[in-house]
Amino acid sequence: MSTPNVEAVKLDELNCWRIRHGQAELLVAQQGAHILSYQLAGQPPLIWLNDEAVFKTGKSIRAGVPVCWPWFGNFKRNPQSVQAMRVSNEPPTAHGFVRAMDWELGGIETEGESLKVEFVLPYPEGGFPGWPHQVDLKLSIRLDEQLHISLTSHNQGTDTVTISQALHSYFAVSDVRTVHVEGLDGLSYIETLDDWKTVTQTGDLRFTGETDRIYLDTPAKLSIVDPAWKRRIELTSSGSRSAVIWNPWIERAVAFSDMADDGWQKMLCIETANVMDDVVTLKPGATHTLEVSIASNLL
């Protein structure tokens, strides 16, 4: 059994850990329990660490795997049941608020040949800002021959709570214009760039422009096929029936202050999610776990 190597590092204002175990190297920030990068020895990265990402206290990071919770994306685009959970006159931030909060490192320990890293965000004193519901969060990261990420919500309160959420994963690719996604053929999706129309996917998904789609009733397995890097990134999810696929393309990327003008070429987001009709309703005492396992296989 290999002994994990854990190094505390600081990226600008943020406390992070660089963890090496077996062939894997993981970089994770305390703020947001945010996975920043993940790479296997001798391979290109699987999780994309944006060269222009900004690491400032309280500012969300455009890279890695942000945790979006207890709502996803534009708050007003969430189902009414999710919007009703919020009680505030302040403008809501996109993708919820936990990705800008400091989580507690619950522990780093080996389990057989795997390594488990756990972060917790207990219900804070005084409650979450504008969201008065007693839900504890736990993010577990397990390293073996794959990367396993799970987000568990536990309703400790006396009221039923409804959330939308996502593991907003940025995957590293050789060039998004030459990769394709398998597993979507025949699925319905919401085309957010065309008045939120519902469309049916035909064949594999290839990329020729800005993409922002919500796929519905998704299967447990999706794959990113990258011929130039001769690899297939396989995503196996549970606790999810929806996925968001996003790439900003040229004009949007240029408008981002925290992404290189050509950064869009090197990344593709496939977000394991609970959005639209796939929201999560937690009765008092109930838990829900959203999970994705990420594997790299040669073509």
Side-chain angles (χ1 to χ4, degrees):
M1 183 192 308
S2 61
T3 301
N5 178 289
V6 181
E7 176 188 4
V9 296
K10 191 113 176 187
L11 295 180
D12 198 355
E13 297 179 1
L14 300 188
N15 295 320
C16 305
W17 292 270
R18 180 173 283 110
I19 301 167
R20 298 179 179 90
H21 179 68
Q23 298 296 305
E25 180 175 314
L26 178 78
L27 181 63
V28 58
Q30 181 177 13
Q31 179 173 282
H34 193 135
I35 294 171
L36 298 174
S37 67
Y38 168 72
Q39 186 167 7
L40 297 172
Q43 294 189 24
L46 276 99
I47 298 297
W48 183 64
L49 177 57
N50 173 10
D51 292 338
E52 300 293 321
V54 175
F55 305 107
K56 298 291 186 183
T57 301
K59 181 174 175 56
S60 57
I61 306 164
R62 194 186 302 279
V65 187
V67 175
C68 305
W69 189 99
W71 62 82
F72 175 82
N74 183 329
F75 179 72
K76 293 296 186 183
R77 283 289 186 179
N78 280 260
Q80 188 57 41
S81 58
V82 173
Q83 294 188 44
M85 297 291 101
R86 187 170 185 267
V87 183
S88 176
N89 294 321
E90 297 295 319
T93 56
H95 294 316
F97 47 79
V98 301
R99 63 182 181 151
M101 299 177 73
D102 273 353
W103 295 48
E104 298 174 5
L105 179 62
I108 302 175
E109 60 183 10
T110 54
E111 293 182 346
E113 293 300 316
S114 66
L115 179 73
K116 185 176 181 180
V117 183
E118 192 167 278
F119 288 88
V120 293
L121 186 64
Y123 186 68
E125 183 111 12
F128 292 116
W131 202 83
H133 309 288
Q134 194 170 348
V135 179
D136 290 344
L137 285 181
K138 178 175 69 176
L139 186 86
S140 294
I141 305 165
R142 185 160 55 86
L143 301 176
D144 46 31
E145 69 281 358
Q146 301 184 30
L147 171 65
H148 309 270
I149 312 167
S150 64
L151 177 66
T152 300
S153 305
H154 180 199
N155 185 0
Q156 301 270 35
T158 57
D159 298 324
T160 297
V161 175
T162 303
I163 61 173
S164 62
Q165 60 181 344
L167 297 168
H168 191 315
S169 308
Y170 288 74
F171 292 98
V173 296
S174 60
D175 188 326
V176 73
R177 296 168 293 187
T178 63
V179 306
H180 64 273
V181 179
E182 295 179 347
L184 301 169
D185 186 30
L187 296 186
S188 295
Y189 67 88
I190 297 171
E191 178 54 89
T192 70
L193 301 178
D194 186 12
D195 200 29
W196 289 64
K197 293 177 181 175
T198 300
V199 186
T200 300
Q201 175 73 34
T202 302
D204 296 333
L205 175 60
R206 299 175 187 273
F207 300 90
T208 58
E210 182 181 353
T211 303
D212 191 356
R213 298 177 176 182
I214 302 171
Y215 281 86
L216 309 172
D217 295 316
T218 51
K221 183 170 287 188
L222 299 174
S223 298
I224 301 171
V225 179
D226 191 335
W229 280 352
K230 296 182 172 59
R231 79 174 178 193
R232 177 191 302 272
I233 303 175
E234 292 189 348
L235 286 63
T236 304
S237 63
S238 63
S240 165
R241 292 186 294 106
S242 50
V244 181
I245 299 184
W246 179 73
N247 182 280
W249 218 252
I250 301 168
E251 291 183 7
R252 287 285 305 281
V254 169
F256 292 145
S257 62
D258 56 354
M259 181 185 284
D261 289 353
D262 64 350
W264 61 273
Q265 296 180 27
K266 304 170 186 176
M267 51 72 64
L268 174 62
C269 283
I270 298 185
E271 306 163 35
T272 303
N274 297 117
V275 296
M276 306 308 290
D277 290 340
D278 182 31
V279 294
V280 173
T281 299
L282 290 172
K283 294 182 179 180
T287 63
H288 176 271
T289 298
L290 174 68
E291 184 170 16
V292 63
S293 296
I294 300 162
S296 173
N297 295 308
L298 294 175
L299 289 178

